[in-house]
Amino acid sequence: MTSFFFSLLTTSQPTFTPETLEQQLLQEDALLRGHFRLSSGLHSDTYVQCARFLRRPDLAAPAAAELARQLREAGLVPDVVVGPAMGGVVMGYELARQLGVPGIFTERDDAGQMTLRRGFIVEPGQKIVIAEDVVTTGKSTNEVARLLQGLGAKVLAVASLIDRTSGQADLSFPNFALLPVTAATYAPADCPLCRASLPVVKPGSRPEKAFS
């Protein structure tokens, strides 16, 4: 009887696909179109507000499970998952849960530098997967990687819901993402949306000084 119910539960789970994620993002108003200023300072016609998606544990868990499956299939099983605050905190926790390893997060200090706080540590030689909600340019991911590598850890990969770079981020480790999102990005001085006088929105969580 137990094996019957276990079989029923496992076979009834839908297959997770990029199309599934895109539809869920749209349903949650997490995939936005317009004129946005990104955390990198660039402007874009597309913004992915992953927090609206990740507020739903029933959506976050299957997505993280698929990332965990892909990492295991590639032989990249970490000792620790690190999720940069803020966007990577929830994703990092859920991915760590799916992989059965500890999950911690980095955050910015008063000088704006990414660091480990709250008693979090990584040991020399530990294998790390960096968890992100969205990889936009790869800049912040590389910043976290440098911090961890400076502590003697080995970064295996970055795993994210969204890759806005279509695999073009300048990373020295594998980049796993569930959904590539094609989005135009512009330097503020060369932004056609600005020239069209479309109001710019800064929907992220970083303070204004991050864009100076």
Side-chain angles (χ1 to χ4, degrees), residues 68 71-72 76-82 92-104 126-129 156:
L71 288 166
R72 288 193 186 100
L76 300 175
V77 179
D79 300 308
V80 181
V81 173
V82 177
Y93 172 85
E94 185 57 36
L95 181 58
R97 190 178 76 85
Q98 296 288 343
L99 289 168
V101 301
I104 63 176
Q126 280 191 318
K127 296 175 291 184
I128 307 290
V129 165
L156 299 179

Side-chain angles (χ1 to χ4, degrees), residues 36-44 46-47 136 164 185 201 211:
F36 306 100
R37 182 167 51 177
L38 308 177
S39 59
S40 64
L42 298 174
H43 288 202
S44 180
T46 302
Y47 188 81
T136 302
R164 286 173 52 101
T185 56
V201 177
F211 301 93

Side-chain angles (χ1 to χ4, degrees), residues 160-174:
S160 64
L161 288 174
I162 306 296
D163 179 11
R164 286 173 52 101
T165 75
S166 298
Q168 299 305 305
D170 185 17
L171 303 171
S172 59
F173 38 83

Side-chain angles (χ1 to χ4, degrees), residues 19-166:
E19 292 75 20
T20 299
L21 177 58
E22 183 173 17
Q23 187 60 36
Q24 291 170 345
L25 289 165
L26 290 168
Q27 289 175 345
E28 294 301 310
D29 292 328
L31 183 59
L32 309 175
R33 304 291 183 183
H35 182 193
F36 306 100
R37 182 167 51 177
L38 308 177
S39 59
S40 64
L42 298 174
H43 288 202
S44 180
D45 62 355
T46 302
Y47 188 81
V48 181
Q49 182 57 277
C50 288
R52 288 192 56 84
F53 175 87
L54 292 170
R55 70 194 174 106
R56 294 272 305 272
D58 59 317
L59 300 181
E66 173 59 18
L67 280 173
R69 185 195 67 78
Q70 293 182 17
L71 288 166
R72 288 193 186 100
E73 191 173 80
L76 300 175
V77 179
D79 300 308
V80 181
V81 173
V82 177
M86 288 288 296
V89 173
V90 176
M91 195 65 214
Y93 172 85
E94 185 57 36
L95 181 58
R97 190 178 76 85
Q98 296 288 343
L99 289 168
V101 301
I104 63 176
F105 57 86
T106 60
E107 56 191 309
R108 297 192 181 277
D109 60 19
D110 292 339
Q113 300 300 309
M114 197 66 81
T115 187
L116 286 171
R117 302 174 64 184
R118 307 174 193 273
F120 293 149
I121 61 172
V122 296
E123 302 287 351
Q126 280 191 318
K127 296 175 291 184
I128 307 290
V129 165
I130 299 172
E132 298 268 22
D133 55 351
V134 55
V135 172
T136 302
T137 64
K139 181 179 177 181
S140 62
T141 304
N142 278 324
E143 184 180 356
V144 173
R146 287 192 297 270
L147 168 67
L148 299 172
Q149 290 164 346
L151 297 170
K154 179 181 180 181
V155 177
L156 299 179
V158 58
S160 64
L161 288 174
I162 306 296
D163 179 11
R164 286 173 52 101
T165 75
S166 298

